[in-house]
Amino acid sequence: ELRERLRSVKHTILVLSGKGGVGKSTFSALLAHGLAADEAKQVALLDIDICGPSIPKMMGLEGEQVHQSGSGWSPVYVEENLGVMSVGFLLSSPDDAVIWRGPKKNGLIKQFLRDVDWGEIDYLIVDTPPGTSDEHLSIVQYLSATHIDGARIITTPQEVSLQDVRKEINFCQKVKLPIIGVVENMSGFICPKCKNESQIFPPTTGGAEKMCQNLNVSLLGKVPLDPQIGKSCDKGQSFFSEAPESPATLSYRSIIQRIQEYCDQHHFHEEKII
Amino acid sequence: ERSNLAGVRHILLVLSGKGGVGKSTISTELALALRHSGKKVGILDVDLCGPSIPRMFRVQGSDVHQCDSGWVPVFVDQDKSISLMSIGFLLEKPDDAVVWRGPKKNALIKQFVADVAWGDLDFLIVDTPPGTSDEHISTVEALRPYKPLGAILVTTPQAVSVGDVRRELTFCKKTGLRVLGIVENMSGFVCPHCSECTNIFSKGGGEELAKHAGVPFLGCVPLDPQLSQSLEEGRDFIREFPKSSAFPALAHIAQQILDGASQQSS
C-alpha cells in the first residue's frame, strides 16, 4: 500500500538534527520554496513533528484544514507545484496539544505517507522533530518502500549542538541512511550598525567544519544569523523573496543547489543500474 | 522504605514545546543561582536523545556509581552543592545515539525518578526535551505523588516558538501541573562592539503569551556570547560574569523561584 503510494516519488530528502531549535523547519521551508521555484518540478513538504508542527506557520498556511477525497487526503497547496502536510492542519485551535505516546505518533506518520494523495512528486522533503526516537525510526522504516536520497543534517556551531548532532550522524549510520551533508546554521552575526561580527553560538570545538572532517561527511555550507529570517518565518513568507540580497539567502541558495546536484547524480546513477 | 525523593523539598520542571530555546541553559543557570543563594540543588536530565546537562557543568565522562538506595548522582564539585543525573553519564561512547522508542524511554525515566539517591535537596530541577510526548507524560506521572512546585516554560520571542509553547501550556493544564511562569530567552542581542541592540529572534512574544494565558512572566534573558561560552566550557556563569548582560535577568528569575518556593512552604 505504502509502496504504491510512494512509487510516484522521485527524490526524498530527510531534514534531521539531533538538536532542537537549529533551523530544521526553517531550512525545510526554504528548501521547498527553492526547489519549487522551477515550476516544472512538483514539490511536497511533509512535517512529521507531531508535538511541535512549525511548517504551517512558516509556509503561511496557519488555519488551513485538510480535505478528504476519494483518492485520500489532499495536501494543502502553497503554490500549484508545492503541497504541504502537517498535523498542524488537523488541529482546530493553536492551543491544542498533541499529547501522544510513541505508537500513536507512528500511526499518524504512516497515515501521512499512505493516505495523502501527493500525486507525482519530484521532491519529497520530510521535516522531522529533534532526536533519534519513534518518529525517526518510523519514517526510515516506512520510507524503505521507496528510496531515500539522503539526510540533510543541520547544526549550530557550538559543541552543545554538535554533541547531539554526532549522535544523529551515528543514527544515520546505524539505519544505513546516506548523509547528503551538514549545514552549519546561525554561523555568526554581523551587527547591522557597526558591521562587526559576533559569534553568538561560538564554535569552541571547531564547529561543523571540524566535526565533518572527523566524521567524513560533507559540509554543505554555513548560514549566518539574520533577523529577517525569523520575521519571514513568523509571517509565513519566503525569506528569499523578503531579503534576496542577504548573505543568508546566498548561502541557502548555494546549499540548495548542492542538494539538487546530489539528487540528480543519484538519479543518474539509478538509471545507469537499470 | 524511604523514597529517594523524600528529602527533596521542591521539585520544578523546565519545559518548552519548542526545541533549542534554552531549557538546559535555564536549568543550569537557575541551579547555579540557587547554589549561590546557599541552596542544595539537583538536576535530573530526562532528555534521553540529546542530554546537554553534563557538559554544561564540565562533568561529561563521569561515571555513575551504585549505592544501597540506588544510583549516586554525579556531584559537580567538592562542595556537593549541585548534583546531576543524566543518560549522558550512562553512555559508553558519547557519540552513540540512543535510538529508543517510547516504552524503553519510559522505563528509564521511571528509574531516574525512583532510583537516584538524591539525599537532602532544597530544589530538584527536571530538565526535559522539547515536546509533549513520552518523556513528558512519564515524568509528570512519576513525579505526581511528590507534588512538584510547578513548571517554568521557556520560549524565544518569535511566533514560531510561542506557537509550540502554547501547546505546552495546554499540556500543563491537562496534567494538572502548575505553571510558575514563562521565560523569554534569546530576547535581543546587544553588540559587544557598539552596543546596538538587535532583536535577532524578534521580541515580546513570551511576555504576550504570559499575559494572554494569565501566567506570571518571569523575565527576558538576552543573547549573551559570554553565557554561550560559559555553557560550552562548563563554567559557573553566575559567579564569573556578574556584569554580563544576561546576569540580572537570570538572577531575577532565581529570586522569583525562591520567593514562590518559600510561599509554598509557608
Side-chain angles (χ1 to χ4, degrees), chain A residues 120-242:
Chain A
E120 300 274 332
I121 321 174
D122 292 282
Y123 297 100
L124 171 62
I125 302 163
V126 184
D127 185 34
T128 64
T132 51
S133 189
D134 284 276
E135 297 88 333
H136 314 85
L137 282 168
S138 295
I139 195 73
V140 168
Q141 202 184 321
Y142 298 143
L143 286 179
S144 62
T146 176
H147 76 273
I148 306 179
D149 285 60
R152 230 195 78 260
I153 298 188
I154 316 230
T155 185
T156 47
Q158 79 276 40
E159 178 60 24
V160 159
S161 290
L162 297 175
Q163 70 181 3
D164 288 349
V165 172
R166 286 194 201 94
K167 293 196 223 286
E168 197 74 23
I169 293 175
N170 181 250
F171 167 81
C172 291
Q173 288 162 347
K174 274 184 175 165
V175 300
K176 302 207 192 342
L177 180 57
I179 297 174
I180 302 175
V182 173
V183 171
E184 183 181 276
N185 201 13
M186 307 197 199
S187 193
F189 173 68
I190 299 198
C191 176
K193 188 168 177 210
C194 71
K195 309 294 180 203
N196 278 302
E197 194 184 22
S198 293
Q199 292 291 349
I200 297 179
F201 302 112
T204 59
T205 55
E209 197 158 354
K210 187 90 191 288
M211 178 188 73
C212 289
Q213 261 170 25
N214 289 343
L215 297 177
N216 204 25
V217 294
S218 295
L219 178 65
L220 294 178
K222 297 186 191 181
V223 184
L225 277 161
D226 181 333
Q228 188 61 48
I229 299 175
K231 280 203 194 107
S232 301
C233 285
D234 278 358
K235 286 196 290 184
Q237 282 161 347
S238 164
F239 171 67
F240 292 152
S241 8
E242 297 281 291

Side-chain angles (χ1 to χ4, degrees), chain B residues 111-132:
Chain B
Q111 272 196 283
F112 269 176
V113 172
D115 295 346
V116 175
W118 295 105
D120 289 326
L121 289 179
D122 294 293
F123 289 93
L124 176 63
I125 300 170
V126 183
D127 184 30
T128 63
T132 50

Side-chain angles (χ1 to χ4, degrees), chain A residues 20-21 95-96 98 100-102 105-106 132-134 138 141 158-160 164 167 170 174 193 200 204 234, chain B residues 19-20 50 55 94 97-102 105-106 132-134 137-138 158-160 166-167 170 196 228 232:
Chain A
D95 293 319
D96 279 351
V98 181
W100 291 355
R101 290 192 183 274
K105 291 195 283 186
N106 299 335
T132 51
S133 189
D134 284 276
S138 295
Q141 202 184 321
Q158 79 276 40
E159 178 60 24
V160 159
D164 288 349
K167 293 196 223 286
N170 181 250
K174 274 184 175 165
K193 188 168 177 210
I200 297 179
T204 59
D234 278 358
Chain B
R55 172 169 276 273
V98 173
V99 187
W100 292 355
R101 288 194 183 272
K105 291 198 281 189
N106 298 336
T132 50
S133 187
D134 286 279
I137 301 170
S138 297
Q158 80 268 50
V160 163
R166 285 177 78 163
R167 295 185 241 270
T170 304
E196 167 88 351
S228 315
E232 287 283 284

Side-chain angles (χ1 to χ4, degrees), chain B residues 14 29 33 47 50 67 79 87 92 111 123 141 143 154 237:
Chain B
V14 180
E29 300 311 318
D47 189 340
C67 67
D79 289 340
I87 199 180
E92 260 186 51
Q111 272 196 283
F123 289 93
E141 267 173 20
L143 287 175
V154 184
F237 173 78

